[in-house]
């Protein structure tokens, strides 16, 4: 699959949060938990948390106990989303996977390079705020900064971050501020086995460094 085709992977038609949450738990063995959702208010939409200036409207945990409520049971997921069908679908990281987060432009550049290198890739999401998250084996978030440093860059400076234990991500078809999280690479039988961070860090760091340099040049 070429990068152009990868960039155009559509959201699954007719996918609802309940169906997605059950599928992630049953087919991928990912833990899931329901978060906030978007509510119609005065002709617009607002996060169910009630905060007008919510940073992640409709896509964040609705309480500090989210880790304990996370479940890998499809039946439990069905019960939770039946109670609130509009709830966002959130996936804890640091359990069955970590996620490496990069700017979208860097993500697509890295995907193209990874495909040329014939690297093993896991699922990848695209968020409405133009970020991409690469699913990798647990432990990646802790290892990434030192691996990037060994390549000659600073992870924070090139905007490459890891999501590991104690964090979570939003999964499709969750809507953030009105637009949906989508798959850049959908979960399939082929990518059930996730890569280790060591396999992806070089092309990701290179792409992030290049994007950071281009951004500096544009503002110079």
């Amino acid at each position: 699959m070429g990068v152009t085709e990868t960039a155009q992977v559509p959201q699954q038609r007719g996918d609802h949060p309940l169906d997605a949450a059950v599928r992630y738990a049953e087919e991928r063995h990912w833990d899931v938990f329901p978060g906030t959702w978007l509510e119609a208010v005065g002709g617009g939409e607002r996060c169910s948390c009630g905060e007008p200036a919510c940073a992640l409207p409709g896509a964040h945990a609705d309480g500090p106990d989210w880790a304990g409520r996370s479940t890998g049971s499809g039946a439990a997921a069905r019960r939770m989303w039946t109670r609130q069908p509009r709830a966002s679908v959130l996936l804890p990281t640091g359990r069955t996977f970590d996620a490496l987060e990069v700017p979208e432009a860097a993500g697509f550049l890295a995907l193209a390079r990874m495909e040329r290198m014939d690297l093993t890739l896991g699922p990848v999401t695209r968020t409405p705020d133009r970020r991409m998250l690469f699913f990798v084996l647990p432990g990646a978030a802790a290892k990434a900064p030192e691996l990037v440093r060994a390549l000659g860059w600073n992870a924070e400076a090139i905007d490459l971050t890891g999501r590991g234990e104690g964090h979570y991500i939003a999964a499709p078809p969750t809507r953030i501020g009105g637009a949906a999280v989508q798959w850049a690479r959908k979960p399939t039988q082929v990518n059930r086995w996730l890569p280790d961070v060591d396999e992806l860090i070089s092309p990701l760091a290179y792409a992030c460094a290049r994007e950071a340099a281009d951004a500096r040049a544009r503002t110079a």
Side-chain angles (χ1 to χ4, degrees):
M1 180 184 292
V3 68
T4 301
E5 183 181 354
T6 301
Q8 295 176 347
V9 172
Q11 181 184 353
Q12 292 186 6
R13 293 182 180 275
D15 209 6
H16 297 286
L18 185 152
D19 299 324
V22 171
R23 186 171 63 252
Y24 297 150
E26 292 184 343
E27 297 181 8
R28 302 298 292 200
H29 305 294
W30 293 339
D31 283 2
V32 298
F33 71 96
T36 56
W37 59 90
L38 294 173
E39 296 180 330
V41 177
E45 291 184 313
R46 188 178 68 184
C47 185
S48 62
C49 72
E51 175 56 56
C54 179
L56 284 171
H60 62 85
D62 60 3
D65 62 339
W66 61 266
R69 292 191 294 114
S70 303
T71 180
S73 163
R78 186 177 298 279
R79 288 194 296 271
M80 289 191 289
W81 269 270
T82 296
R83 289 195 291 268
Q84 180 43 260
R86 292 179 294 166
S88 53
V89 181
L90 304 179
L91 311 177
T93 50
R95 299 185 181 187
T96 51
F97 67 89
D98 277 9
L100 297 176
E101 180 180 344
V102 301
E104 185 180 78
F108 279 124
L109 178 63
L111 275 178
R113 190 177 186 196
M114 291 172 185
E115 288 168 352
R116 289 195 300 271
M117 298 168 67
D118 199 27
L119 295 180
T120 298
L121 293 170
V124 182
T125 61
R126 301 169 63 192
T127 64
D129 58 349
R130 302 180 66 82
R131 308 289 290 178
M132 292 178 70
L133 293 102
F134 290 71
F135 287 36
V136 289
L137 290 173
K143 293 165 63 176
E146 182 56 39
L147 291 172
V148 172
R149 190 175 300 113
L151 293 169
W153 292 296
N154 176 279
E156 183 177 358
I158 63 174
D159 200 7
L160 190 160
T161 58
R163 304 275 194 98
E165 187 175 358
H167 296 273
Y168 58 83
I169 66 171
T174 297
R175 294 168 60 226
I176 302 177
V181 179
Q182 298 186 20
W183 291 112
R185 291 184 65 93
K186 294 166 62 175
T188 67
Q189 288 297 327
V190 175
N191 62 24
R192 179 173 293 277
W193 305 108
L194 299 177
D196 189 66
V197 61
D198 304 72
E199 302 172 58
L200 305 189
I201 200 67
S202 178
L204 278 174
Y206 168 80
C208 287
R210 178 172 166 178
E211 174 62 19
D214 289 346
R216 289 194 297 269
R218 288 193 296 268
T219 57

